[in-house]
């Protein structure tokens, strides 16, 4: 049975509720799924309840990490609400609100205003992020697609980009382990592009006590997935994977379990990750 270890719900910037995601994962024939909303565990209890007796649920989250060359995303697995990690993410969640307001102010200055209340409405429950602002820009007719919203206004380096607080790598890995979980680098193409850069990055991940790297990723070519998996194993890191499904509106063409149709994350990944739990 295949697994999907990277899924976003309405609690962060996904389109489906935790319950709907469980239904989609069951329908896709998966044996295990991980809910990995950004910076929050608010959806875990609901996903767990929906999953009971139908599919194994790994409680998780995705965090933005401070890294010497910028930032990358770290997935925590077997981590949950009520832990010191959850507590450490509280100021990060709060920092989103300040950052979001700064983005909205910048957009207004640029002559492409969006309504703060509408952004909240689009987001619904849970944390608010740039994808919700992108959708508001689209609704207001300022852009045609979410991609255009990001490239013109919201991406790092774009006109209304504002940085939000991030959590340092060493602290985060330690908090994840103390919560009984494992730490996995998400979509590593964000930190490297050449073979030499990947080698250097993976060595640093292993040194930092990270447990795995997401190699089977929806948007990566089969060659890249294979190369990353070999490199991960060479550094003692578990090669893992997931779709990073957000739903059709936010990330079109990426389905639960299968990504663009060719993603298969083998289920032994789960056992190998579980074996690394402290
Ligand atoms: P935030 O966490 O609010 O800083 O927003 C980051 C999120 O925006 C990521 O987790 C992605 O889901 C989404 N994102 C980043 N770049 C793009 C893009 N070019 N198109 C659509 N969504 C994006
Ligand atoms: Fe996201
Ligand atoms: Fe991510
Ligand atoms: Zn993600």
């Amino acid at each position: 049975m295949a697994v999907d270890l990277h899924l976003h719900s309405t609690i962060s910037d996904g389109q489906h509720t935790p319950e709907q995601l469980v239904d989609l994962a069951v329908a896709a024939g998966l044996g295990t799924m991980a809910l990995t909303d950004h910076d929050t565990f608010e959806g875990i209890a609901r996903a767990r309840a929906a999953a009971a007796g139908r599919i194994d649920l790994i409680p998780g989250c995705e965090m933005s990490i401070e890294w010497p060359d910028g930032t990358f995303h770290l997935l925590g697995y077997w981590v949950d609400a009520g832990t010191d990690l959850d507590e450490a993410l509280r100021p990060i969640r709060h920092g989103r609100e300040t950052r979001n307001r700064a983005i909205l102010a910048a957009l207004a200055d640029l002559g492409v205003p969006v309504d703060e209340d509408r952004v909240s409405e689009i987001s619904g429950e849970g944390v608010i992020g740039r994808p919700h602002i992108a959708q508001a820009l689209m609704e207001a007719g300022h852009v045609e697609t979410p991609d255009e919203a990001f490239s013109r206004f919201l991406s790092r380096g774009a006109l209304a980009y504002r940085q939000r607080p991030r959590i340092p790598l060493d602290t985060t890995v330690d908090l994840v382990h103390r919560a009984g979980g494992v730490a996995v680098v998400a979509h590593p193409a964000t930190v490297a592009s050449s073979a030499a850069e990947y080698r250097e990055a993976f060595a640093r991940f292993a040194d930092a006590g990270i447990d795995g790297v997401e190699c089977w990723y929806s948007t990566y070519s089969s060659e890249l997935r294979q190369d990353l998996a070999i490199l991960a194993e060479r550094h003692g890191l578990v090669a893992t994977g997931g779709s990073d499904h957000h739903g059709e509106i936010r990330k079109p063409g990426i389905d639960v379990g299968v990504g663009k149709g060719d993603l298969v994350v083998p289920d032994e990944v789960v056992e190998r990750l579980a074996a690394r739990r402290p």
Side-chain angles (χ1 to χ4, degrees), residues 177 182-185 198-199 201-213 215 227-240 272-273 275-277:
H177 286 158
V182 298
V184 167
V185 175
Y198 276 119
R199 277 198 300 276
F202 279 40
R204 281 156 85 185
F205 296 154
D207 280 348
I210 286 172
D211 301 285
V213 178
C215 301
D227 291 349
L228 292 175
I230 291 167
L231 191 60
E233 300 301 334
R234 209 174 279 158
H235 285 91
L237 297 158
V238 180
T240 80
R272 299 191 53 218
L273 278 177
R276 305 257 322 205
R277 291 181 68 181

Side-chain angles (χ1 to χ4, degrees), residues 8 13 38 246:
H8 294 272
D13 52 6
H38 297 283
H246 284 69

Side-chain angles (χ1 to χ4, degrees), residues 75 98 197 231:
L75 296 158
T98 317
E197 284 173 5
L231 191 60

Side-chain angles (χ1 to χ4, degrees), residues 8 13 38-39 62 64 73 96 99-100 103 128-134 146-151 154-155 161-162 164 187 244 246 249-252:
H8 294 272
D13 52 6
H38 297 283
D39 305 322
E62 183 175 21
S64 299
H73 287 176
R96 276 180 176 277
R99 189 274 320 248
N100 291 344
I103 293 178
I128 303 179
R130 280 179 287 165
H132 305 115
I133 300 174
D147 240 9
E148 188 192 344
F150 272 91
S151 60
L154 301 175
S155 287
Y161 176 76
R162 296 293 183 274
R164 60 188 182 83
H187 40 72
D244 204 3
H246 284 69
I249 300 175
R250 310 270 158 68
K251 286 196 182 167

Side-chain angles (χ1 to χ4, degrees), residues 10 12 97 100-101 104 114-129 132-133 136 139 250:
T10 45
S12 64
E97 296 164 24
N100 291 344
R101 251 175 262 123
L104 295 191
V114 295
D115 182 43
E116 185 172 355
D117 291 338
R118 183 60 198 141
V119 174
S120 295
E121 262 170 44
I122 289 169
S123 160
E125 51 201 347
V127 301
I128 303 179
H132 305 115
I133 300 174
E139 281 185 7
R250 310 270 158 68

Side-chain angles (χ1 to χ4, degrees), residues 63-66 85 88-89 92 165-169 171-172 175:
M63 299 160 283
S64 299
I65 297 293
E66 195 70 60
L85 176 66
L89 291 174
I92 303 292
R166 301 180 186 126
I167 186 163
L169 179 59
T171 325
T172 314
L175 285 164

